[in-house]
Amino acid sequence: MRDTRESRLLLVLLIAIAFALITVDIRGGEQSPLDGVRHAAASAFGPVEEGVAAAVDPVGDAVAAVRDSGDRSNRITELERENTALKQRLGSDDRNRGRLRELDEMLKTAGRGQYGIKGAQVIAIGAAQGFSWTITVDIGSDDGVRRDMTVLNGDGLVGRVTTVGPSTATVLLASDPKFTVGTRMEKTGELGFANGQGDRSLRVELLNGKAVVHEGDRLVTFGSSRDKPFVPGVPVGEVTRVEPAAGGLTRTLQVRPFVGFSKLDLVGVVVQPPREEPRDTVLPPKPEAPKPTPTVTVTVTPSPSAKPQD
């Protein structure tokens, strides 16, 4: 529609009529002459309004759902957090149970050998003081720890103390290539020296080149003068290979250590040596060999054949 003088006059006239109708409708109240018109308009536009409402309501529901989903999401997040915390507590309980077993085994080992020990936890592992295979424990000179003390756990020999601070100590592990300990063979008492080989087995040189040794034979520490750095009787390992004798003065053995050096947690520092030589008493009893299954022999005796009748 073009903006002309006539169009402007028509717009003013329509506005004036609208105001006049509004005034009449308000003054008439329920008896308003426009009431019929209003009902007619409602009848005409009602279905349209319902259709629009039907179209708009799902949108409103969706908005409410999104708002509610935010609350549900927060609840789900909270439940997941609680579940994670529960799993962590359960994991912690499992770890604590494992550590209790370790402690129990270590106390049994110390009891069999009558070693006075100070329990400690491994707090670091790695290179220290130029050594490749070391651990750091959380006790030191304030706890009575001194250099050249034996360190063990429930499985056997861990190493020896090399450096001591007020509250920590460094332990050289038996697996370190610089580590050497005197050993004694179980039962036969053959003496030798064990050396670490890193992540491989221990290498033991027996002083008797003609010693009779078999796979599965076990060794313990021989002990040192005044029990430093090693007390006697601590389990060392089990023979896995006997090198062929070459007529030398010594006999070489490969020995699997009883201790798993890659999973150390609780250890004990021997602060009081045993009063008597424990010999082989600290070694756990050997498992019994499985009994052979008896072979069942079935003998079939043929029955005599019947004589032919005349």
Side-chain angles (χ1 to χ4, degrees):
M1 183 176 180
R2 296 177 59 185
D3 184 13
T4 62
R5 181 178 179 184
E6 290 79 4
S7 63
R8 285 198 297 270
L9 289 174
L10 178 60
L11 179 59
V12 172
L13 179 60
L14 290 174
I15 292 173
I17 293 171
F19 274 109
L21 292 174
I22 292 172
T23 302
V24 170
D25 185 44
I26 292 175
R27 289 183 177 180
E30 294 182 357
Q31 304 298 324
S32 170
L34 299 178
D35 187 56
V37 179
R38 188 164 49 245
H39 283 290
S43 299
F45 294 102
V48 178
E49 291 176 350
E50 289 178 0
V52 173
V56 173
D57 282 346
V59 178
D61 292 342
V63 172
V66 171
R67 185 170 55 248
D68 294 341
S69 69
D71 296 336
R72 285 195 294 271
S73 177
N74 293 337
R75 179 55 181 160
I76 291 172
T77 302
E78 182 181 352
L79 291 174
E80 290 176 347
R81 185 167 54 249
E82 292 174 357
N83 191 29
T84 301
L86 178 59
K87 288 181 178 179
Q88 289 175 348
R89 286 197 298 271
L90 290 175
S92 178
D93 290 343
D94 290 340
R95 182 171 182 268
N96 288 336
R97 283 192 291 269
R99 299 184 76 196
L100 285 175
R101 286 193 296 269
E102 286 186 43
L103 180 60
D104 184 58
E105 291 299 321
M106 184 169 67
L107 292 176
K108 287 179 180 178
T109 298
R112 288 195 297 266
Q114 302 202 0
Y115 309 121
I117 65 171
K118 288 275 189 179
Q121 181 178 354
V122 177
I123 57 175
I125 183 169
Q129 289 79 41
F131 299 119
S132 300
W133 291 76
T134 62
I135 57 173
T136 302
V137 296
D138 62 351
I139 59 175
S141 58
D142 292 346
D143 305 285
V145 177
R146 300 290 181 267
R147 184 177 176 177
D148 287 336
M149 285 184 167
T150 307
V151 182
L152 52 77
N153 67 3
D155 297 321
L157 180 67
V158 172
R160 64 180 176 86
V161 177
T162 57
T163 307
V164 182
S167 59
T168 61
T170 301
V171 178
L172 178 66
L173 300 179
S175 55
D176 189 274
K178 297 183 180 68
F179 187 94
T180 302
V181 59
T183 60
R184 184 197 297 276
M185 295 293 302
E186 181 184 13
K187 297 180 180 178
T188 66
E190 294 286 354
L191 302 181
F193 292 94
N195 296 97
Q197 297 187 105
D199 56 0
R200 295 182 293 165
S201 59
L202 302 176
R203 179 185 178 90
V204 176
E205 296 286 343
L206 293 183
L207 300 182
N208 182 3
K210 298 180 180 180
V212 178
V213 186
H214 303 92
E215 292 184 10
D217 289 348
R218 302 182 296 180
L219 301 87
V220 298
T221 56
F222 175 66
S224 307
S225 175
R226 298 184 180 180
D227 300 306
K228 288 188 177 183
F230 302 108
V231 294
V234 180
V236 175
E238 181 179 274
V239 176
T240 57
R241 182 183 176 189
V242 181
E243 302 288 348
L249 298 177
T250 62
R251 192 80 187 268
T252 302
L253 314 174
Q254 297 297 324
V255 175
R256 184 183 68 248
F258 290 125
V259 172
F261 298 105
S262 63
K263 53 183 179 181
L264 293 170
D265 185 13
L266 299 179
V267 298
V269 179
V270 180
V271 295
Q272 184 177 352
R275 294 182 180 180
E276 298 179 358
E277 164 74 65
R279 301 291 294 189
D280 303 335
T281 59
V282 185
L283 285 168
K286 274 192 172 182
E288 295 183 3
K291 296 180 180 180
T293 304
T295 303
V296 179
T297 304
V298 179
T299 303
V300 179
T301 304
S303 61
S305 58
K307 293 182 179 181
Q309 295 182 354
D310 293 338

